[in-house]
């Protein structure tokens, strides 16, 4: 071995290691979880957020349909009470239509619940949907049944909405509305479960 070369090699190696240590310290400590160790957790959490987003989208679509139905019923109530048209053209509303106007409240609460995943608002929305949306429709079906029966048996109608039998129009809206509200409650329940699962995951961390 040549003199001087063997002795200088360890010194050079130590200097290189010191430089690497300095560069590492300048970059700062590595953030926890950035080494890929949290991949399985992220892989598990991602579908929950996807499901939540999908359920929210479905609820929003149903809310739009509900809003259209609500506007139609509210229009009939307004026109009839303010006598914008003759009652021969737009019949007076059935009794169930008045409490059904409150069905806007559950949809409003649901819309307020979704941006921040507010569980309380969503629960209240589901309960109020049963009271203000589904219950009036059930009452309405019973209220209009004798009129519908008379129309079916004798072909006689006494209430009209722009030339159409009022009971036929309202039953059509009712069939659509009951499906909309059933869907809202169903998807809200699934969304609530997804939020609970997400909350439990956060508590486990």
């Amino acid at each position: 071995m040549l003199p001087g070369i063997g002795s200088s090699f360890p010194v050079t190696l130590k200097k290189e290691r010191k430089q690497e240590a300095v560069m590492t310290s300048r970059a700062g400590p590595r953030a926890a979880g950035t080494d890929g160790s949290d991949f399985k957790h992220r892989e598990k959490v991602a579908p929950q957020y996807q499901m939540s987003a999908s359920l929210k989208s479905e609820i929003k679509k149903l809310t739009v349909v509900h809003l259209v139905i609500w506007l139609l019923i509210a229009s009939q109530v307004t026109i009839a009470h303010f006598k914008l048209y003759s009652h021969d053209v737009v019949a007076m509303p059935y009794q169930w239509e008045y409490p059904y106007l409150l069905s806007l409240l559950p949809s409003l609460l649901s819309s307020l619940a979704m941006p921040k995943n507010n569980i309380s608002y969503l629960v209240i929305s589901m309960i109020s949907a049963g009271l203000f949306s589904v219950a009036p429709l059930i009452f309405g079906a019973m209220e209009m049944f004798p009129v519908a029966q008379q129309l079916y048996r004798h072909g006689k109608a006494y209430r009209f909405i722009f030339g159409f039998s009022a009971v036929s129009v309202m039953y059509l809206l009712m069939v659509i509305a009951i499906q909309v509200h059933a869907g809202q409650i169903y998807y809200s329940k699934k969304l609530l479960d997804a939020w609970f699962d997400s909350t439990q995951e956060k508590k486990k961390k």
Side-chain angles (χ1 to χ4, degrees):
M1 183 180 294
L2 294 174
I5 295 178
S7 59
S8 64
F9 180 73
V11 175
T12 306
L13 187 61
K14 286 180 181 179
K15 286 182 179 179
E16 289 178 355
R17 287 179 178 174
K18 283 182 180 179
Q19 288 175 354
E20 288 178 0
V22 170
M23 290 175 68
T24 304
S25 63
R26 285 177 182 174
R30 178 176 288 177
T34 55
D35 58 349
S37 60
D38 66 334
F39 175 74
K40 289 183 179 179
H41 172 71
R42 285 186 281 113
E43 192 176 30
K44 185 178 180 181
V45 171
Q48 292 179 355
Y49 285 106
Q50 289 175 358
M51 180 181 290
S52 178
S54 176
L55 291 170
K56 286 178 182 179
S57 176
E58 293 298 326
I59 293 171
K60 286 176 182 177
K61 291 175 186 176
L62 291 171
T63 301
V64 171
V65 179
H66 170 227
L67 184 60
V68 172
I69 295 170
W70 187 89
L71 286 172
L72 289 172
I73 293 175
S75 298
Q76 186 211 354
V77 172
T78 303
I79 290 170
H81 276 281
F82 287 98
K83 297 180 180 179
L84 301 178
Y85 285 94
S86 167
H87 289 166
D88 293 333
V89 179
V90 178
M92 286 294 292
Y94 290 97
Q95 292 299 314
W96 69 269
E97 295 178 57
Y98 297 103
Y100 185 78
L101 293 176
L102 295 173
S103 66
L104 195 63
L105 180 62
S107 292
L108 179 61
L109 287 170
S110 177
S111 299
L112 291 173
M114 286 190 285
K116 294 185 178 180
N117 295 0
N118 192 309
I119 292 176
S120 299
Y121 278 5
L122 191 61
V123 170
I124 296 171
S125 170
M126 291 170 64
I127 295 170
S128 57
L131 293 173
F132 302 136
S133 302
V134 178
L137 292 174
I138 295 172
F139 173 73
M142 293 187 293
E143 179 190 4
M144 296 191 303
F145 181 74
V147 182
Q149 194 174 32
Q150 187 177 28
L151 177 64
Y152 176 75
R153 287 183 177 179
H154 307 290
K156 292 181 180 179
Y158 300 99
R159 292 186 180 188
F160 296 93
I161 297 176
F162 295 111
F164 297 96
S165 167
V167 69
S168 300
V169 173
M170 300 317 294
Y171 258 122
L172 177 61
L173 286 178
M174 189 177 288
V175 169
I176 298 170
I178 197 69
Q179 294 180 66
V180 168
H181 296 308
Q184 284 178 319
I185 294 171
Y186 172 75
Y187 287 122
S188 294
K189 177 62 171 63
K190 293 194 73 174
L191 183 60
L192 194 64
D193 291 340
W195 287 354
F196 271 126
D197 291 341
S198 178
T199 304
Q200 292 300 320
E201 286 291 332
K202 288 178 181 178
K203 287 181 179 179
K204 288 178 182 178
K205 290 181 182 180

